């Protein structure tokens, strides 16, 4: 299992637009073959900080996700909404198997 944790910090006046844009990516990702989880989390102490927890069956599913129209549209829209570049950390999922 391939897991990525992405931190996205948005401008204070862009939270609603971020949620609108990212919901489309979230809904699209859930329909992808190989997608196991796609959680969008908001930091409870910093409303402009979001974490995306993505789990895919394998690297091929991750690469396929990055070619989807919903992902590409989201990435393009994020540029104007973020207060700093995204931060990504990749993991190998162990449990659940």
């Amino acid at each position: 299992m391939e897991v990525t944790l992405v931190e996205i910090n948005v401008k204070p006046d862009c939270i609603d637009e971020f949620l609108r844009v990212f919901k489309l990516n979230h809904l699209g990702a859930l329909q992808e073959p190989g997608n196991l989880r796609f959680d969008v989390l908001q930091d409870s102490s910093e409303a402009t900080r979001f974490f995306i927890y993505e789990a895919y069956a394998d690297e091929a599913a991750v690469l396929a996700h990055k070619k989807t129209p919903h992902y590409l549209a989201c990435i393009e829209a994020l540029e104007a909404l973020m207060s700093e570049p995204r931060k990504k950390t990749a993991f190998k999922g162990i449990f659940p198997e």
Side-chain angles (χ1 to χ4, degrees), residues 18-30:
F18 167 80
L19 292 172
R20 186 193 69 74
V21 164
F22 219 87
K23 185 173 186 177
L24 297 174
N25 189 34
H26 165 76
L27 293 172
L30 293 178

Side-chain angles (χ1 to χ4, degrees), residues 55-76:
Y56 285 89
D58 53 32
E59 186 64 26
V62 173
L63 294 174
H65 167 66
K66 292 181 179 181
K67 294 178 183 177
T68 60
H70 54 267
Y71 172 82
L72 295 171
C74 181
I75 295 306
E76 183 177 335

Side-chain angles (χ1 to χ4, degrees), residues 12-87:
D13 60 336
C14 294
I15 292 173
D16 290 340
E17 181 64 9
F18 167 80
L19 292 172
R20 186 193 69 74
V21 164
F22 219 87
K23 185 173 186 177
L24 297 174
N25 189 34
H26 165 76
L27 293 172
L30 293 178
Q31 302 304 311
E32 295 171 28
N35 176 269
L36 304 173
R37 287 197 76 87
F38 200 93
D39 298 347
V40 180
L41 312 168
Q42 186 176 32
D43 190 319
S44 59
S45 63
E46 185 64 49
T48 58
R49 183 177 299 131
F50 296 86
F51 292 91
I52 315 307
Y53 178 89
E54 306 175 31
Y56 285 89
D58 53 32
E59 186 64 26
V62 173
L63 294 174
H65 167 66
K66 292 181 179 181
K67 294 178 183 177
T68 60
H70 54 267
Y71 172 82
L72 295 171
C74 181
I75 295 306
E76 183 177 335
L78 281 179
E79 289 303 315
L81 306 176
M82 295 186 303
S83 60
E84 61 185 72
R86 293 175 292 150
K87 299 171 190 161

